[in-house]
Structure formats: structure tokens, C-alpha cells
Amino acid sequence: RAFDGTATATDTIGLDVLRDAVTCAAPTGLDLHGLVLDGAAGRILADHMSWLRRRLPSMEEIDVPEAVQATLGLLRGCLAAAERSRAQDLATRDIEILHRASRFIDQNLQNPDLSVATICRAVGVSRSALYRVFAPLSGIADYIRARRLEAIHVLFENNEDDRWNAEIAAEFGFTSQAHFSRCFKERFGYSPRTARKGEDRLRDMMG
């Protein structure tokens, strides 16, 4: 792949390494294209390459394999450090995405247009990123359903709200009463009717 870069007032040392050797040294999944090896490990590798440039003209042929292995070892360490840094950055971004997405979901629980597409547009992420961050929470669809059920449960506990269960459920996207009742009981262990009769809830759970 093509790569464009800009540098000013720099000294450059080029090191040709076989593709297979680099691939074997790199952690699985690390994108090597345009990768910058910075930090302490990168500086050590740069110092080592400067040493190689000074020593290669006088190096004995018998010492070359050892120098190659030492260089590959340093390269392997740099690539491992780059992978750890990438994983940390990814974890931080995922937490930010999860926070923004969950906040948007909570603000739109009664919105019939709430979907993966609307969440992605609002948060500014791809579908794959959204699926990834919600995977530990049983997936985005289950998360939305669980938050809607919890919001409904709060309304059921409000004695001043005298609407029918089906009316409240429909407000949160549950158009089938049977489906809603099944989901509700799976979530809380008791039926919607019992949730509205708080004094009977414990008996229903135990019976």
C-alpha cells in the first residue's frame, strides 16, 4: 500500500527486513501499515540501528546472524508495545462510545425509531463498533429491551399511573402483549400484573 509522509531536518536509517520475519514478529491483528514505533521501546530500537550503522562495516560475517536475531528481538518488543498501546486506546474509545450510546438510548426509550441505525448516526460510530462495545452486555438489542423493561417497571410501581399495561408497553415499542409479558417475566421473575400489585410480588416469585 502507498504511504505518504513528511519529515524535516531528519537523519534516516533504512533497514530492510523480510516480510515473513516482520509478520512473525508482529502480534496477530496488528496493522503494520504506517505504524510508528515510538516510546521507550522505539528509542531503544533507534539507538540499536545507529549502533548497527557504525558497526556493520567492521562486523565479522560470523557475527551477522546474532546481530540479525538481536534486531528482530528488539523489533518484536517494539511491536508488542505498539499492540498494548493500541489495545489501551481501543478500550478508552469503546468506553466513550458505550457512554454516549447508552445515554442516547435512555433519552429515546419511547422513540419508535430507536434502532442501531439511529444510534450510529447520533453517536457517530459504525455498526461494527456499536456491536463490539455492547457485546459484553449481551448485545445492543438486548440492552435496549432491558432498559425499556426497566423503565416500564418504574411506571408500574407508580400507583398514580392508571393506564393499562398494554398501553404503557406499547409506548416503549412492545406491540404484542404476549411478547411483552414473556420478556417482562424473563427479566424480573414475575408477571407485569404482579409488578403492579407490589404486595403480591414476593408470593408470586416464591410460588
Side-chain angles (χ1 to χ4, degrees), residues 27-30 79-95 132:
T28 302
L30 179 63
L79 294 175
E83 169 62 14
R84 288 193 296 272
S85 177
R86 185 194 70 85
Q88 291 172 354
D89 291 343
L90 181 62
T92 300
R93 289 196 299 271
D94 281 0
I95 292 173
R132 183 183 68 246

Side-chain angles (χ1 to χ4, degrees), residues 14-91:
L15 179 65
D16 293 332
V17 183
L18 292 175
R19 180 185 296 272
D20 289 346
V22 176
T23 302
C24 291
T28 302
L30 179 63
D31 186 3
L32 300 176
H33 184 69
L35 179 65
V36 177
L37 301 176
D38 53 8
R43 290 192 293 271
I44 292 173
L45 179 61
D47 290 342
H48 176 72
M49 292 178 64
S50 296
W51 176 87
L52 279 178
R53 184 179 63 173
R54 295 193 304 271
R55 293 296 305 272
L56 276 176
S58 60
M59 186 177 293
E60 298 290 338
E61 185 176 349
I62 194 174
D63 295 328
V64 171
E66 185 176 344
V68 170
Q69 291 305 313
T71 303
L72 288 176
L74 284 173
L75 180 60
R76 189 177 298 109
C78 288
L79 294 175
E83 169 62 14
R84 288 193 296 272
S85 177
R86 185 194 70 85
Q88 291 172 354
D89 291 343
L90 181 62

Side-chain angles (χ1 to χ4, degrees), residues 136-159:
L137 302 177
S138 299
I140 181 68
D142 281 355
Y143 180 83
I144 293 174
R145 181 167 54 249
R147 294 297 295 151
R148 281 175 161 168
L149 289 170
E150 289 163 6
I152 292 171
H153 195 294
V154 171
L155 292 177
F156 280 178
E157 292 181 326
N158 180 7
N159 294 328

Side-chain angles (χ1 to χ4, degrees), residues 136-201:
L137 302 177
S138 299
I140 181 68
D142 281 355
Y143 180 83
I144 293 174
R145 181 167 54 249
R147 294 297 295 151
R148 281 175 161 168
L149 289 170
E150 289 163 6
I152 292 171
H153 195 294
V154 171
L155 292 177
F156 280 178
E157 292 181 326
N158 180 7
N159 294 328
E160 296 180 0
D161 194 331
D162 57 358
R163 290 177 296 169
W164 292 98
N165 290 357
E167 183 181 354
I168 296 176
E171 190 176 293
F172 288 87
F174 292 94
T175 56
S176 167
Q177 179 65 18
H179 175 65
F180 164 67
S181 297
R182 182 169 61 253
C183 291
F184 192 95
K185 190 163 187 177
E186 287 177 357
R187 179 69 179 175
F188 300 108
Y190 43 84
S191 68
R193 176 180 295 183
T194 301
R196 303 204 79 168
K197 296 168 58 180
E199 68 275 7
D200 296 332
R201 187 181 309 159

